[in-house]
């Protein structure tokens, strides 16, 4: 008799697990605790928005390296002694605060990204080669490299061929570089060197202090903008999921309200999504179809707590 009871209870438990999984919707539901980093990674929606650039063969992928579970021992976070092939597994270019300059572009280790005034805009050439490239390593990619770009518009990303045949990334038509003397996230030791090197912003211009460049209001969705299939939400503004306790989660968007307990302060959608300041799709709301670096810019300063497919 006891065995029958145990079997019956086990069966009920299994049914309950299936029911909970079916209702998960890829996000924490109302009344549930805020997702941990591990939970958020498990909830990631599959990425259907990757685009292969026909010129370079690079795969441009929405979201961040973390939200796409990039190998932490390769790409931008590979050891300095790693081969070029390992280092070019993935590259991340994201909007951030770089040494007080914001918005600025940094790589997957948080190192500041620069442009060189001797390079012609949209000129299709880099004028930093040889010893120059040792001091200012170009950001290069190869066929099959995954390029993550939260906060940068796709149309602002391009590629040029270098003298050595390598493919270098451009932002706003400017070839981009790192600085060999920058050691950690936030360093901007290359800023204004020789009055020719400058930290770059997401549009390919000179990054400046926030007081000089207020947070831009995201553009409203164009009429007929396609609804989002998936969105990457970041717990920190500026798509930050690698500092402190910050994390990200990529979720499916459906025609049913889905909740978070804690607020997510930046997001990268692949189409139009409606976001809300409170669980249950209540409170202040906004419809966005482009990356949002700080939800305060759309009237949601404490972060997104629910979302729905518009």
């Amino acid at each position: 008799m006891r065995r029958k009871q145990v079997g019956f209870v086990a069966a009920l438990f299994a049914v309950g697990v299936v029911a909970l999984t079916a209702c998960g919707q890829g996000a924490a539901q109302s009344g549930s605790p805020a997702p941990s980093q591990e939970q958020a990674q498990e909830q990631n929606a599959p990425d259907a928005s990757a685009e292969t650039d026909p010129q370079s063969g690079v795969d441009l992928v929405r979201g961040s390296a973390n939200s796409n579970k990039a190998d932490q021992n390769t790409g931008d976070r590979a050891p300095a002694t790693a081969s070029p092939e390992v280092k070019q597994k993935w590259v991340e270019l994201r909007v951030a605060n770089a040494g007080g300059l914001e918005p600025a572009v940094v790589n997957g280790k948080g190192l500041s990204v620069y442009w060189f005034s001797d390079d012609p805009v949209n000129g299709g050439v880099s004028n930093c080669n040889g010893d120059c490239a040792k001091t200012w390593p170009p950001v290069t990619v190869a066929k099959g490299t995954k390029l993550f770009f939260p906060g940068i518009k796709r149309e602002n990303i391009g590629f040029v061929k270098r003298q050595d045949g390598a493919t270098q990334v451009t932002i706003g038509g400017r070839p981009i570089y790192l600085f060999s003397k920058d050691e950690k996230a936030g360093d901007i030791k290359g800023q204004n060197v020789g009055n020719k090197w400058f930290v770059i912003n997401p549009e390919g211009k000179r990054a400046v202090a926030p007081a000089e460049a207020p947070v831009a209001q995201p553009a409203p969705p164009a009429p007929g903008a396609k609804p989002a299939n998936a969105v990457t939400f970041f717990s920190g503004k500026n798509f930050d999921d690698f500092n402190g306790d910050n994390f990200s989660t990529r979720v499916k968007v459906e025609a049913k309200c889905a909740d978070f307990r804690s607020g997510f302060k930046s997001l990268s959608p692949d189409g139009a999504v409606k976001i809300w300041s409170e669980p249950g799709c209540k409170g202040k709301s906004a419809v966005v179809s482009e990356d949002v670096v700080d939800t305060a810019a759309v009237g949601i300063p404490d972060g997104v707590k629910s979302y729905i497919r518009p």
Side-chain angles (χ1 to χ4, degrees):
M1 183 66 179
R2 180 177 297 275
R3 289 183 179 176
K4 291 182 178 179
Q5 290 175 335
V6 171
F8 180 69
V9 171
L12 283 176
F13 178 77
V15 171
V17 169
V18 171
L20 286 172
T21 303
C23 294
Q25 300 297 328
Q29 299 300 304
S30 180
S32 64
S36 66
Q37 184 167 2
E38 292 76 18
Q39 288 173 327
Q41 289 173 343
E42 290 171 1
Q43 292 164 357
N44 286 344
D47 185 4
S49 58
E51 170 196 343
T52 300
D53 178 73
Q55 174 188 352
S56 63
V58 170
D59 294 328
L60 293 109
V61 185
R62 290 195 172 274
S64 64
N66 286 348
S67 68
N68 284 282
K69 301 182 182 179
D71 186 341
Q72 301 295 294
N73 296 312
T74 66
D76 287 348
R77 297 172 196 166
T81 55
S83 68
E85 292 76 18
V86 171
K87 292 180 178 179
Q88 290 179 338
K89 290 287 185 183
W90 59 268
V91 169
E92 182 173 60
L93 299 169
R94 67 158 76 212
V95 173
N97 181 304
L101 306 178
E102 185 181 342
V105 177
V106 302
N107 78 348
K109 287 183 69 176
L111 296 176
S112 302
V113 176
Y114 298 84
W115 60 275
F116 182 33
S117 64
D118 283 359
D119 290 338
V121 181
N122 295 315
V125 64
S126 164
N127 287 316
C128 179
N129 299 282
D131 289 340
C132 175
K134 294 177 182 177
T135 302
W136 301 91
V139 176
T140 59
V141 291
K143 183 177 181 179
T145 298
K146 292 186 182 299
L147 175 57
F148 310 112
F149 56 105
I152 302 175
K153 292 182 178 180
R154 168 63 186 94
E155 58 264 31
N156 287 337
I157 298 173
F159 306 92
V160 297
K161 280 292 184 182
R162 296 182 51 77
Q163 284 184 2
D164 61 5
T167 299
Q168 184 172 1
V169 183
T170 66
I171 295 178
R174 297 183 185 275
I176 57 174
Y177 308 81
L178 302 175
F179 184 44
S180 60
K181 294 183 180 180
D182 283 348
E183 299 173 339
K184 63 184 185 302
D187 282 353
I188 52 171
K189 297 176 183 177
Q191 175 71 349
N192 206 30
V193 168
N195 199 30
K196 290 188 174 185
W197 293 91
F198 307 98
V199 177
I200 200 165
N201 78 4
E203 297 178 348
K205 300 176 182 178
R206 189 170 179 171
V208 297
E212 302 172 57
V215 176
Q217 291 278 349
K226 71 178 183 68
N229 291 310
V231 180
T232 303
F233 288 97
F234 299 82
S235 60
K237 71 174 188 174
N238 290 330
F239 316 100
D240 186 359
D241 62 3
F242 59 89
N243 286 312
D245 295 328
N246 288 340
F247 63 95
S248 62
T249 180
R250 188 168 180 81
V251 297
K252 289 181 64 178
V253 183
E254 299 180 352
K256 179 180 179 182
C257 184
D259 291 346
F260 294 120
R261 276 291 293 272
S262 59
F264 284 78
K265 295 188 175 180
S266 54
L267 61 145
S268 179
D270 65 4
V273 60
K274 189 168 187 177
I275 54 177
W276 302 79
S277 63
E278 302 299 334
C281 290
K282 298 178 180 178
K284 294 182 178 179
S285 66
V287 178
V288 297
S289 59
E290 296 184 352
D291 290 0
V292 178
V293 299
D294 183 355
T295 57
V298 292
I300 306 178
D302 295 327
V304 178
K305 294 185 180 177
S306 56
Y307 60 93
I308 194 169
R309 195 174 193 186

